Amino acid sequence: MVGHRRDHPFPSDTRLLLDTKLTAGQLPAVRQQVAAVARRCGLTPERVSDWVTAVNELMTNAVCHGGDAGQLRVWETGRLICEVRDNGPGFSAADYASPRNRPTLSAAGGMGLWIAQQMADDLQIDSSAAGTAVRISMTLR
């Protein structure tokens, strides 16, 4: 099982690789940028695919559930890290932060964070009425 820790430290003095706003129309272009960054950081083609899948789920969640827009940042610290933020109404992060069984699909979705958990090495969620920030990371080998 992939590790998921909410307390994983993310240093602030890192090399920022991508910083962009998100809207529904921008998602395809941002996915291409995310893939290019992952390849430049040395991820294997399979890990690039996993990374882009995980990031795509976070971006889609931000746009669909977080107020039609978001912010994506990717940086490298020996790990590739992505944070997606939105200004949506928030949700109970505890329901999603730890590894769990595959959720039941609903009309509103329900699979995005679970998919991101499966594809990334680490997942952190911070959510409140002021918005949500989700960070994932992947070890660079």
Side-chain angles (χ1 to χ4, degrees):
M1 178 65 73
V2 180
H4 305 282
R5 299 184 322 238
R6 293 180 53 104
D7 61 346
H8 183 79
F10 291 97
S12 60
D13 59 340
T14 61
R15 187 168 62 111
L16 187 63
L17 304 172
L18 182 60
D19 187 358
T20 187
K21 296 201 181 303
L22 299 171
T23 63
Q26 295 171 308
L27 296 185
V30 175
R31 273 193 301 272
Q32 290 179 352
Q33 292 174 317
V34 166
V37 164
R39 285 191 296 274
R40 282 194 306 269
C41 286
L43 291 180
T44 65
E46 181 179 305
R47 296 282 279 173
V48 169
S49 178
D50 289 349
W51 179 252
V52 172
T53 298
V55 172
N56 183 66
E57 293 299 330
L58 301 184
M59 294 189 309
T60 301
N61 282 352
V63 170
C64 291
H65 306 293
D68 295 328
Q71 181 76 27
L72 175 137
R73 294 184 314 144
V74 177
W75 63 96
E76 183 265 325
T77 64
R79 298 174 70 81
L80 192 56
I81 302 168
C82 177
E83 179 181 83
V84 175
R85 291 182 169 271
D86 66 52
N87 294 318
F91 60 92
S92 174
D95 294 342
Y96 298 91
S98 61
R100 58 193 178 108
N101 294 328
R102 181 180 173 156
T104 303
L105 188 60
S106 71
M111 299 282 290
L113 289 173
W114 181 81
I115 290 169
Q117 284 179 333
Q118 305 312 301
M119 299 293 144
D121 294 338
D122 190 51
L123 172 81
Q124 291 182 325
I125 303 169
D126 182 18
S127 189
S128 71
T132 298
V134 181
R135 284 185 182 179
I136 57 172
S137 69
M138 188 171 277
T139 302
L140 297 173
R141 296 184 178 122

